[in-house]
Amino acid sequence: AKTPMWVFTAAAAVGLTITYGGAQFIENQYVPYLVVGVFSFLHLLQYVICHIVVVRRWGSFDFTSVLSAYTRSGFAAVAAGAAGAIVLWLLGGYSYGFAWNSIITAIISCAAVGAVMAAVFVLALRLLRVPEFTQFMEPLARRIPILARLGR
């Protein structure tokens, strides 16, 4: 468990250093793009480093199934994000409407968007037949029988 900690700690230190250093040379409005770009690249680099370490320590694993799981869950996340964006748009989140009226309406909007995103994500995982989702749901379904329908 030490190796992943060192990889992620080093990546965080490098990411923060690059981000803070780079932020000194660009306009404030572009700093979020720098943060997203740097940490996206570092996330990919972390995966590559961990892959190399795992293969060296424990041998090869089925890379295509891992890539397939990442891709399918990624598509499910995109679908959930799009559904959440639509709900937020309907609630006036992009035009200073209901979502912006007060703290209470903002909380209600966040709850509505989160609930829709969760439902769409689960539905997309089922439709894309992500085996890891089924494996995740099996122990939960044994304790809470109504959840058995989600894992099928």
Side-chain angles (χ1 to χ4, degrees):
K2 289 182 187 177
T3 302
M5 183 195 75
W6 285 113
V7 170
F8 290 103
T9 302
V14 168
L16 290 172
T17 303
I18 292 171
T19 301
Y20 282 121
Q24 305 304 315
F25 302 105
I26 62 174
E27 295 180 35
N28 287 342
Q29 66 191 26
Y30 298 116
V31 171
Y33 300 112
L34 174 67
V35 171
V36 168
V38 167
F39 281 93
S40 295
F41 172 75
L42 286 174
H43 179 70
L44 189 64
L45 186 62
Q46 288 169 359
Y47 176 76
V48 169
I49 291 170
C50 287
H51 172 75
I52 291 169
V53 169
V54 165
V55 169
R56 282 188 182 166
R57 280 203 181 151
W58 294 294
S60 185
F61 59 94
D62 189 9
F63 180 74
T64 54
S65 70
V66 172
L67 184 61
S68 172
Y70 264 94
T71 303
R72 289 178 183 190
S73 60
F75 283 135
V78 168
I86 291 168
V87 170
L88 186 59
W89 175 69
L90 292 172
L91 292 173
Y94 302 115
S95 60
Y96 298 101
F98 174 79
W100 289 87
N101 286 343
S102 69
I103 295 293
I104 300 298
T105 60
I107 291 170
I108 292 168
S109 298
C110 286
V113 168
V116 167
M117 288 180 69
V120 169
F121 188 65
V122 167
L123 180 65
L125 289 174
R126 279 191 63 203
L127 290 175
L128 293 170
R129 294 188 176 101
V130 177
E132 290 79 7
F133 177 68
T134 305
Q135 293 167 358
F136 170 76
M137 290 304 294
E138 283 174 356
L140 294 174
R142 283 194 294 271
R143 293 184 187 269
I144 307 167
I146 198 162
L147 293 178
R149 286 188 267 163
L150 292 176
R152 285 189 241 149

